[in-house]
Amino acid sequence: MNLHRITLRNAADLDGFRRAVRWLACEELAPQHVVWSLDEAPGLFGEDALRDAPPVSLPRGVARLIELGVCHSDPERYALLYQLVWRVLNGERDLLEVASDPLVHRIDAMARAVRRDLHKMYAFVRFRRMKAEHLERFAAWYEPEHFVLEAAAPFFIDRFRSLDWTILTPVGSMRWDRRELRFGPPGRREDAPAEDGFEEGWRGYYESVFNPARVNPVAMRAEMPKKYWRNLPETASIPGLIQTASRRVDAMIGQEATMPAKRTPERALEAMWDQEPATLEDLNAIIAKAGPLVPGATQAVFGEGPKHADIVFVGEQPGDQEDLQGRPFVGPAGRLFDKAMKEAGIDRSHAYLTNAVKHFKFEQRGHRRIHSKPTAGEVKHYRPWLMKELELVRPKLVVALGGTALLALTGKSTPISRSRGRARFGPYLGYVTVHPSYLLRLPDEVTKREAYEAFVEDLRRIHDLAQADPDTGELPLAAE
Ligand code: URA
């Protein structure tokens, strides 16, 4: 029997496999006449020089199984997939419907394993800022089980389009420079920073979304196998969170009795994680359904602005006017903010304005509703929604207006005077400045004027930062 050897890359060589299939099908070579071998960098299809052949038409389901199957680490993957193709092209067009067929069963299981590996990668890659870099660059080390690097690329580009990032794995690497994706050689763990300044932030974020009522360490380990833990800063919190979970569940149950059944924040969070919102509209529907944490607000006030604005401004919570009109920053602080933005050259209609807390909290004094500052606990409850909002908008720059916004974005309470200026909030370039209502509260006109000028100056920097050159990452503020 004349055997034909096909050598493909020992990676997800989808193009190579497709080309080989076209040629083999055209030559009518059955699987038993083909030997598949793997090489790190094969020449053009190894021993058999393949000529171009016309495409073959395969059912969509088969084409999808091929896309996933080539990513599997099983060395027999190409041989198995070609057996599938051969049978489909030779009288068994509906083969995939025969779930009991051993070949279908095996390839299905491979596809499921690859899908699972992709989801794990989406969830467990943590970018860290590269030290001593003048440009803003991030790197992550990750060890997938299968060859999923290329298949995962669209997800990471979509999520982190405005960042310059590299993912290093033992079998290959990829770099997105905000314009182009390039694949490269395998990396080493030590090529990616072990940590950066935002470890605390990731931990705080994880703690805020952790639901003690759902603790199941076995399931947790299955979902987040220990091998990934060392790359995830938030896993430092897991043992403590598990130990205190039952106490926290008791506290939750006690709390629930004092709250209207439909409106508990825990329910809101559960709703959020059960059906992850894919759009801002979905997210807003969840927030609206949850209702205010503290009773009284007329409505939830959602973020407002273009869906993918370059700048997101995060305020504290809606005020009296915002509560009535259902829009952020439309009261006295909002008017001052509008004026300052205009002076700094920022077009409000191009920015996205939102708040750390989405409902107005107040004290009733006669006819007046006096703003009451949200507590740290309230900020924490709304925080996952804010994080999800940022994830959906994917801005270039996130601006914390005042201490409450800063607490929401970092999980830490820090004086504005200490953190004013450029910052980093997880994957986002950030900026910290005062809240416009602080300017309204200043007692004398001179101080007020000076503080206002400084605020406008901050907004000018913010405007420049959001215009950073996407090619070089150079900021107009390079002198800073
Ligand atoms: N203050 C805020 O923080 N947000 C608003 O929307 C209005 C005032």
Side-chain angles (χ1 to χ4, degrees), residues 292-370:
L293 185 50
V294 178
T298 314
Q299 58 190 315
V301 176
F302 308 129
E304 181 182 275
K307 278 196 168 75
H308 295 300
D310 283 347
I311 311 177
V312 169
F313 287 99
V314 182
E316 183 191 73
Q317 70 172 350
D320 180 70
Q321 283 303 309
E322 287 79 14
D323 174 67
L324 296 173
Q325 295 186 39
R327 294 184 52 211
F329 289 102
V330 289
R335 283 194 290 277
L336 186 66
F337 187 28
D338 283 349
K339 179 168 175 303
M341 276 195 282
K342 210 166 181 186
E343 268 180 57
I346 296 176
D347 183 341
R348 171 171 173 149
S349 68
H350 291 170
Y352 184 94
L353 275 55
T354 191
N355 285 299
V357 169
K358 311 294 186 205
H359 292 96
F360 179 40
K361 189 176 84 166
F362 58 91
E363 235 179 76
Q364 192 78 46
R365 286 201 208 136
H367 290 306
R368 294 180 60 210
R369 305 193 300 171
I370 309 295

Side-chain angles (χ1 to χ4, degrees), residues 403-463:
T404 303
L406 187 57
L407 171 64
L409 290 164
T410 61
K412 279 188 286 191
S413 187
T414 328
I416 294 295
S417 53
R418 282 224 331 253
S419 24
R420 193 165 184 165
R422 273 180 70 165
R424 176 144 289 281
F425 305 130
Y428 308 101
L429 180 61
Y431 200 96
V432 179
T433 184
V434 295
H435 191 285
S437 64
Y438 155 82
L439 306 171
L440 292 173
R441 289 197 304 269
L442 289 170
D444 71 273
E445 284 312 310
V446 178
T447 327
K448 215 177 215 161
R449 185 82 235 152
E450 282 172 4
Y452 176 78
E453 292 301 339
F455 182 56
V456 173
E457 196 45 45
D458 274 349
L459 291 175
R460 284 199 188 101
R461 292 208 182 107
I462 287 163
H463 176 258

Side-chain angles (χ1 to χ4, degrees), residues 178-191:
R178 295 190 283 196
R179 223 170 50 170
E180 209 184 328
L181 181 73
R182 269 183 235 119
F183 292 94
R188 292 170 312 166
R189 174 189 302 281
E190 53 274 29
D191 296 334

